[in-house]
Amino acid sequence: MIVAISRAKRFSPNSEDKDARILKSLCDLLQQSGFDIKVMDEDNFSLQPDADLYISMARSEATLKILNDSPVPVINKPESVLLNCQNRKRLFNIISVSGFYVPFASGYQSLDDVSAKDGYWVKKNYGYSECEQDVVYARNVEERDAAVAAMKARGIEDVYVCPHIKGDLVKFYGVCNTPFFRFYYPDDDGEMKFSNNGHNGLPKHTPFDAYEFWCESTAVANTLGLDFYGGDCIVKENGDRVYIDINDWPSYSRCYKEAAEYMAILAVYAMHHGDLEVLRNRIKSGYYEAVIFDYGGTLDSDGMHWGKRIWHAYQKCGVPVDEALFREAYVHAERTLATNPIILKDDDFTTTLRKKLFIEMDYISEHIENFNPYEWICDVLYTLIDDTKKSTDTTDEVMRYVFGNYVNNDKTILVSNFYGNINAVLRQFGLEGYFSHVIESAVVGVRKPDPEIWRMGLSALGVTDASKVLVIGDSYDKDIIPAHEIGCDTLWFMGEGWTPVIPDGKQADWVMTTWFDIYEP
């Protein structure tokens, strides 16, 4: 059973509905996937004897201290919320020591050491902001001192003061150990929690490296021990990012549906990932006689179903189609390619994807008036090429430094449902040299989830003991279950699926949500 702990209203000022919405979205997804869910209020919480996992929005000290004694996993970790997120000074000291920019911070005793030409922020240091008066902007020293005095008059002795930082205000949301990361500029449209945004005016959208921002924010969250996280940063005119707030489990207000899918993935991972240290040791010790890889979704998209990867590219490029029609178009294209000789043996990834996208967009044009495929196809194509190159670059590292070092090259094999041109696709990304054999459904006439295609893999390798073979794939139904059925060890690369329903993962020996679960660069 999964126990979900709701956040008390006093910790959700102006965000009660949004906080409740993200928790409900997550619980609904887990329930649809077959998990038993029990929702408890943090003010009436006690450890449950039949709990397998706690997913906690709690912020009260009493509840967090109880959760510290939990014998089962807790998301977010109570010690991280209690020690880090409830103390701004400690929070920013940790971030600063980790090498990331934060505002100059000072306690009330050294207030005179804080100088700021653009104004100040006066905030309650310990605990969470429960009202607008807990976070105050001061234009000058006089307003700063008045704000500090007002907090003291309300009984808040521990005050955090820092200078105001000029630049673009950017809000961000993430789910650690997954590809989910989103950011936006609240000053673009004025959507804000309180009325204290807007002091920098309209954002200039100063350019910065979005991928670097994701990596940096994930590192900050990992340093703090947060699984679900969000925050605010200022992007200065030189592109530097200054972190001004980090939150445990934000409302994910603009992306809550998509965030909930990744949060559900991480919840299942927390319960069923297995002891990955055992797996790493087995690989390094040469325990496995062979390793069999799936391709699509596993080696080229970080565990994400390709339908979802294409849909996200449509969203990024602003293609004017809703998800329901896109899904129809995607299925139509897959069926068309499976039943017609459209993909040729020498078609590389770019050519294959261009053909697939044209079939999709041609279908869409039949359902949306004045939709022109040629207006969108190049943007989507090159977005997907760029995303896939990033994924396969990581795969290349993993193949060289993990499996290349510890598994013989003549004992690695690829088993894939593909169109007959997978070798050309592998060549485009420099992955063709890693596999001694390639078994492709269009060539052998057998498709997953038929276990026979996995038996063909064992036969090609000359391996008789299936238990000494590791199978790695992103599809639980097509990769993990049939490989488990014939006796192989299985590593499920769990990412965003075609549907939000998540398998329970019980037939996977191990579960990973990123290659970095087994690879340390």
Side-chain angles (χ1 to χ4, degrees):
M1 180 179 70
I2 298 175
V3 177
I5 306 168
S6 63
R7 181 169 293 159
K9 291 183 178 180
R10 65 186 180 278
F11 297 124
S12 294
N14 289 356
S15 296
E16 292 177 18
D17 293 342
K18 292 178 181 178
D19 283 349
R21 182 179 64 184
I22 184 62
L23 183 63
K24 183 179 186 304
S25 297
L26 173 55
C27 290
D28 286 349
L29 283 179
L30 290 168
Q31 215 156 25
Q32 290 171 26
S33 299
F35 294 95
D36 293 327
I37 305 293
K38 181 176 183 178
V39 180
M40 301 183 70
D41 184 88
E42 72 169 297
D43 287 333
N44 297 291
F45 173 74
S46 60
L47 292 177
Q48 303 298 295
D50 51 351
D52 299 302
L53 174 72
Y54 294 101
I55 48 177
S56 169
M57 297 189 84
R59 285 179 169 175
S60 68
E61 284 193 43
T63 300
L64 292 170
K65 287 178 179 177
I66 293 171
L67 283 170
N68 262 334
D69 295 326
S70 169
V72 300
V74 181
I75 301 174
N76 279 324
K77 300 173 184 66
E79 63 271 22
S80 297
V81 180
L82 188 63
L83 295 178
N84 299 335
C85 296
Q86 290 201 17
N87 188 317
R88 292 184 190 273
K89 295 174 187 175
R90 176 183 172 88
L91 174 73
F92 288 112
N93 282 338
I94 292 172
I95 296 173
S96 179
V97 168
S98 301
F100 305 109
Y101 293 122
V102 299
F104 174 80
S106 173
Y108 180 65
Q109 291 80 3
S110 56
L111 187 59
D112 291 337
D113 294 333
V114 183
S115 61
K117 63 179 181 179
D118 297 313
Y120 301 83
W121 286 97
V122 180
K123 306 178 183 182
K124 180 171 71 173
N125 179 59
Y126 188 78
Y128 288 90
S129 300
E130 298 180 44
C131 64
E132 192 162 356
Q133 289 71 38
D134 289 341
V135 179
V136 178
Y137 173 71
R139 291 174 296 177
N140 50 48
V141 171
E142 290 75 22
E143 289 187 5
R144 178 200 72 185
D145 293 347
V148 171
M151 284 197 181
K152 291 186 67 176
R154 292 170 51 221
I156 301 172
E157 294 290 336
D158 193 4
V159 179
Y160 173 91
V161 178
C162 68
H164 176 68
I165 307 296
K166 295 289 286 183
D168 292 343
L169 174 63
V170 179
K171 296 190 75 70
F172 58 92
Y173 302 109
V175 178
C176 270
N177 299 316
T178 78
F180 180 81
F181 183 73
R182 301 290 180 269
F183 63 87
Y184 70 95
Y185 298 82
D187 288 330
D188 272 344
D189 57 14
E191 181 180 319
M192 58 192 73
K193 185 174 182 179
F194 296 130
S195 60
N196 50 20
N197 285 22
H199 297 289
N200 284 339
L202 293 176
K204 298 178 181 178
H205 296 274
T206 301
F208 63 89
D209 189 321
Y211 180 74
E212 184 180 84
F213 184 27
W214 171 38
C215 295
E216 186 177 272
S217 299
T218 300
V220 169
N222 279 324
T223 298
L224 296 170
L226 299 177
D227 302 298
F228 305 157
Y229 69 92
D232 304 86
C233 79
I234 299 294
V235 179
K236 299 171 69 175
E237 288 187 353
N238 64 0
D240 286 346
R241 292 173 293 279
V242 181
Y243 289 85
I244 60 174
D245 201 10
I246 303 290
N247 301 310
D248 59 287
W249 199 330
S251 63
Y252 296 90
S253 57
R254 302 197 186 196
C255 50
Y256 72 95
K257 289 183 179 179
E258 190 181 357
E261 292 190 29
Y262 281 97
M263 296 163 83
I265 287 169
L266 199 62
V268 175
Y269 171 81
M271 290 187 292
H272 295 302
H273 66 272
D275 190 341
L276 288 164
E277 187 62 30
V278 171
L279 175 60
R280 288 189 286 266
N281 288 336
R282 284 191 177 187
I283 294 171
K284 290 179 180 179
S285 68
Y287 174 88
Y288 290 112
E289 295 182 17
V291 181
I292 304 179
F293 298 86
D294 166 60
Y295 179 70
T298 301
L299 301 184
D300 62 355
S301 67
D302 303 309
M304 183 186 295
H305 188 282
W306 255 94
K308 279 291 189 177
R309 169 156 276 193
I310 296 174
W311 167 240
H312 292 319
Y314 273 55
Q315 290 177 298
K316 185 175 181 179
C317 296
V319 181
V321 59
D322 62 30
E323 188 172 5
L325 180 55
F326 164 76
R327 293 173 74 89
E328 288 181 22
Y330 178 83
V331 171
H332 167 74
E334 286 295 298
R335 289 173 177 169
T336 301
L337 293 175
T339 56
N340 296 277
I342 296 172
I343 304 298
L344 306 179
K345 182 179 179 181
D346 293 328
D347 285 351
D348 62 6
F349 174 81
T350 301
T351 304
T352 302
L353 187 56
R354 183 184 291 112
K355 290 179 178 180
K356 183 196 292 271
L357 290 175
F358 183 80
I359 295 170
E360 287 177 8
M361 292 190 184
D362 185 56
Y363 181 91
I364 292 169
S365 71
E366 295 174 0
H367 294 77
I368 296 179
E369 189 175 356
N370 297 323
F371 182 89
N372 181 1
Y374 295 102
E375 185 177 348
W376 302 103
I377 193 167
C378 285
D379 285 349
V380 175
L381 175 64
Y382 288 106
T383 294
L384 287 165
I385 291 172
D386 184 57
D387 290 345
T388 305
K389 183 66 167 58
K390 290 175 182 175
S391 296
T392 54
D393 282 351
T394 301
T395 297
D396 180 59
E397 283 190 46
V398 172
M399 295 303 296
R400 277 187 288 134
Y401 296 119
V402 179
F403 300 102
N405 284 342
Y406 304 111
V407 180
N408 292 331
N409 279 345
D410 61 348
K411 295 296 183 181
T412 54
I413 189 170
L414 195 70
V415 173
S416 179
N417 285 350
F418 219 74
Y419 309 110
N421 64 319
I422 197 166
N423 284 304
V425 171
L426 292 172
R427 277 195 298 274
Q428 179 168 338
F429 295 114
L431 299 177
E432 75 276 16
Y434 291 118
F435 308 104
S436 57
H437 298 80
V438 172
I439 297 179
E440 192 174 1
S441 61
V443 176
V444 300
V446 181
R447 289 181 63 84
K448 305 173 189 177
D450 190 336
E452 183 58 30
I453 197 168
W454 296 104
R455 291 193 182 96
M456 289 179 178
L458 297 181
S459 177
L461 292 167
V463 176
T464 56
D465 184 358
S467 68
K468 291 298 184 71
V469 175
L470 176 66
V471 168
I472 304 174
D474 72 297
S475 173
Y476 189 73
D477 294 333
K478 295 178 180 179
D479 298 327
I480 302 307
I481 290 178
H484 176 83
E485 181 181 319
I486 66 172
C488 298
D489 275 3
T490 55
L491 172 59
W492 179 25
F493 199 158
M494 181 175 57
E496 189 177 359
W498 182 234
T499 70
V501 176
I502 303 173
D504 61 20
K506 291 180 180 178
Q507 294 193 51
D509 295 290
W510 294 278
V511 179
M512 67 178 181
T513 56
T514 168
W515 281 118
F516 300 111
D517 284 333
I518 63 169
Y519 167 60
E520 296 179 5

